[in-house]
Amino acid sequence: MATIAEAKRQLTWVFDTNKCIGCQTCSVACKMLWPQEDPGTEYQWWMTVNTQPGRGTPRDWETMGGGYNGEGVKLGHIPTDEEFGGGWDYNYDEVLRGGKGRKVHLQKTAGSKSWGMNWDEDEGGGEFPNAYFFYLPRLCNHCTQPACVEACPNDAMFKRAEDGIVLRNEDACQGAQACAAACPYKKIYFNQTRKISQHCIGCFPRIEQGVAPACVRQCPGRAAFVGFLDDEGSMVNKFVEQWKVALPLHPEFGTRPNVYYVPPLAPAPLRDDGSFDEGGDRIPADYLESLFGPAVHGALDVLRTELDKKRRGQDSAVMDALILYRWKDALGHLSRDPADIVWK
Ligand code: SF4
Ligand code: SF4
Ligand code: SF4
C-alpha cells in the first residue's frame, strides 16, 4: 500500500450544473487529445457527462463501492466493459458502400455493447409537468485522499506535490486493477491491449505550460472553471471557499475529491391548477443531498438569494462570476493560449 504525500497546491475543477448544456464538447475534447490513438483506449472516455437522475457511466457506478470506511480503503466492484458501454460498431460497409442502402438499414453489428456513455440522455426524473433533469460532467477527482493510490500494490500511482494531480507510472502498472476497485467514482479504465489501467491525467502537459485542461477550455457553456484552490483570486477559490456554492460529489466516499459542483436550481413546481408552488422543490431536496451531502441546502440558499438580488437589479458578485462575462476568468492562472505553444 502506497503512502500519499500531501500536495503543496491543489488543482481544482468547478462545474456549474445550471449552465452545463450536456453538449459533450468536454468529453470529445478530452477524447481527441488523449485516449484516442493508444490501442486499447477505444472505449475510454476520461470525461463523461451524464443526465441526472440516471444510472451514470459506468452503469450504476454509485453503488459499486470503493473509497474509505472507518478502517481504511475498501475495495469495490471493478466495472466491466459492458458497464462502461461504448464500443459500438455499425454496418456502414453494407449500407453505405455495399449498395444495399435501399434494402438494409443502419444497425449495430454483433459484438457491440448494449449500453452507451450517456444512455439515460435527457430522461431525468419527476412527472409531467414537473419533470426535471440536469447534467453532471465527471472526470477523475484528483482526490486529496486518493483510494486508488493507496490501494495499488505496485506503487504505480502517485499524487504530484506541485499541483495534486493523480498520475500513474505506466511502466510500473502491472494491471492489478486494485485502483479500479478502490476508486469509488469508477473513473479508471482497463486497457485490454496493454494490460494496464488508465485514467484522466489532468492534462498535466498543458498545466505545465500554463494552459487550462481541454475539458475546461473548450466548454461552450461557460460552465467549467479551473484553478488552484488556495489562489484567492481564482474563481474556484471563490465558489468553494469564499461563497460556498460549489460542493464535492459524494463527499461520504471519503476520498476528498477536488472536482466541485454548483448544484442545480429549477423553476418552482406547478400545482394542478397551473399556478407555481413557490415553496416547493421541483428537484427533490433529498435527491440533491444524496449527491452533494447536507451542505447542498446552504449552497442552494445562497444561490437563490443572489439570484433574487440580480432579478431586483442589485449587484451580485456570485451571479456575475457564474454568468462569466469574460470566459478567461474561468481559467485561473492557466489562461495561456495552447496555439502559442510549440508542442513536442
Ligand atoms: Fe457541459 Fe461544458 Fe461539458 Fe458542454 S462542454 S457538456 S456545457 S461541461
Ligand atoms: Fe483516484 Fe478515483 Fe479519486 Fe481519481 S477519482 S483520484 S481515480 S480515487
Ligand atoms: Fe481529459 Fe484533461 Fe479533462 Fe482529464 S483534465 S478529463 S485528461 S481533458
Side-chain angles (χ1 to χ4, degrees), residues 14-17 19-29 47-50 135-138 214-225:
V14 169
F15 291 92
D16 182 356
T17 62
K19 292 180 74 188
C20 175
I21 53 176
C23 63
Q24 307 283 355
T25 306
C26 51
S27 314
V28 174
M47 180 82 208
T48 50
V49 184
N50 284 101
Y135 300 110
L136 193 68
R138 292 205 310 123
C215 52
V216 175
R217 186 166 174 116
Q218 299 306 121
C219 173
R222 298 191 180 191
F225 303 79

Side-chain angles (χ1 to χ4, degrees), residues 220-289:
R222 298 191 180 191
F225 303 79
V226 71
F228 279 133
L229 190 56
D230 67 353
D231 174 2
E232 291 183 4
S234 71
M235 290 291 192
V236 297
N237 177 281
K238 289 176 181 165
F239 292 140
V240 175
E241 303 280 8
Q242 298 178 41
W243 298 326
K244 304 196 186 311
V245 293
L247 305 163
L249 182 63
H250 288 301
E252 77 280 8
F253 288 166
T255 62
R256 298 167 62 200
N258 291 300
V259 178
Y260 292 78
Y261 298 90
V262 179
L265 293 165
L270 289 167
R271 299 189 187 93
D272 289 344
D273 65 3
S275 62
F276 281 113
D277 175 7
E278 294 294 351
D281 292 319
R282 182 176 293 238
I283 305 178
D286 57 352
Y287 175 60
L288 292 179
E289 186 172 326

